Amino acid sequence: MRELYELCGGDPELVFSPYCWRVRLALLHKGLSFDSQPIRFSDKAKLAFSGQPLVPVLRDGEAVVSDSLAIFRYLDQRYPAKPLLGDALSSARLELIDQLTRHILPTGLLKGLVLQIHAAIDPADRDYFRESREHKLGVSLEQFADPVAGQALLQQALRPLDAVLATQAYLDGAEPAASDYLVAGFFFWAWSLGEQPWPGESPVGLWFQRLLGQYEAQLGPVKRAA
Ligand SMILES: N[C@@H](CCC(=O)N[C@@H](CS)C(=O)NCC(=O)O)C(=O)O
């Protein structure tokens, strides 16, 4: 059986990690069913079998793979139909896309989401979340939270995405593939936390709606934080 270990909120149906969303979208792309194994921050001992402490982890029969990009590569190798990455050049370029999109976009979103995440996670996870994130951010969650500054960063991050999506339906061209899922993970993250801080009618907004529509047509409504 195929199992996806992913981070959940106080409600186990609320899965919100951007990296886990990438893998959900990739599994859907491949037409592969999976059992969600929602875990809380305080349940991370359940990931010991993977030899590392982070989600996503995919367990597929005997195979255990962690890290969203490694999972994309595993899925293409194990299930070659409907490639996520394509040829070696595309696969190499995905590293660049990952690096280009892993700073301003998530930081801009996180400034508007960090307090919602703190509220949505299980009360038993809150001290861990606060301590680990404050250590990483170097300021308190309340000092970091700043939806207005987040919007300014988000607008910078959206500009190149809007430019590409104004001329083609998906980041990977006429059909979605790895680049779309890699970036869309951050948008599903915000969406599952009950936010949509980007304009709905923009190229990015319409692209997100297309991906959301495809996901929900197959797997039902995305559980969103109240
Ligand atoms: N580069 C990894 C990042 C994975 C990651 O950072 N996962 C976070 C969830 S968003 C996690 O497991 N956090 C657990 C913790 O902070 O204790 C990937 O792409 O999968």
Side-chain angles (χ1 to χ4, degrees), residues 10 20 68 75 78 85 89 107 124 135 150 169 177 198 203:
C20 299
S68 56
L75 290 174
R78 174 77 181 74
L85 292 154
L89 263 182
T107 304
H135 178 73
W198 55 88

Side-chain angles (χ1 to χ4, degrees):
M1 191 51 203
R2 207 171 290 115
E3 294 177 326
L4 175 61
Y5 288 76
E6 46 189 351
L7 203 53
C8 69
D11 177 343
E13 285 185 22
L14 178 67
V15 290
F16 63 87
S17 154
Y19 307 105
C20 299
W21 271 110
R22 288 177 174 179
V23 176
R24 278 193 164 222
L25 294 165
L27 287 165
L28 184 72
H29 176 98
K30 292 282 189 186
L32 298 171
S33 60
F34 61 95
D35 277 343
S36 173
Q37 299 291 329
I39 63 161
R40 304 193 167 104
F41 287 106
S42 42
D43 294 334
K44 284 204 310 186
K46 291 184 185 164
L47 297 178
F49 72 91
S50 74
Q52 56 82 59
L54 302 178
V55 289
V57 175
L58 181 71
R59 199 209 289 257
D60 186 15
E62 297 293 299
V64 174
V65 193
S66 56
D67 186 88
S68 56
L69 264 66
I71 295 172
F72 283 10
R73 293 200 169 95
Y74 164 79
L75 290 174
D76 266 357
Q77 187 194 10
R78 174 77 181 74
Y79 307 99
K82 287 202 80 186
L84 290 158
L85 292 154
D87 59 19
L89 263 182
S90 308
S91 176
R93 284 179 188 143
L94 200 68
E95 296 291 341
L96 175 65
I97 296 170
D98 188 34
Q99 287 300 329
L100 289 174
T101 52
R102 73 160 51 224
H103 301 292
I104 300 178
L105 174 62
T107 304
L109 289 170
L110 187 61
K111 282 191 162 291
L113 294 175
V114 71
L115 297 179
Q116 277 92 323
I117 299 174
H118 188 257
I121 58 181
D122 193 83
D125 283 352
R126 288 190 186 139
D127 286 350
Y128 168 80
F129 180 79
R130 176 176 288 283
E131 279 162 27
S132 58
R133 272 48 185 180
E134 290 186 346
H135 178 73
K136 200 167 159 187
L137 297 168
V139 290
S140 73
L141 299 185
E142 288 72 15
Q143 284 167 323
F144 179 77
D146 186 343
V148 175
Q151 260 300 327
L153 288 175
L154 186 60
Q155 275 169 29
Q156 281 184 46
L158 292 181
R159 218 168 288 145
L161 298 174
D162 272 330
V164 173
L165 292 167
T167 62
Q168 57 193 48
Y170 295 99
L171 298 175
D172 270 330
E175 298 294 336
S179 311
D180 294 276
Y181 308 136
L182 185 144
V183 175
F186 296 118
F187 291 79
F188 278 79
W189 175 46
W191 181 259
S192 57
L193 289 160
E195 298 291 324
Q196 188 201 324
W198 55 88
E201 295 303 316
S202 62
V204 164
L206 297 170
W207 161 83
F208 173 73
Q209 281 301 327
R210 284 194 290 277
L211 289 171
L212 179 66
Q214 288 159 13
Y215 177 90
E216 293 195 330
Q218 300 280 329
L219 294 181
V222 169
K223 176 77 187 175
R224 302 184 75 195

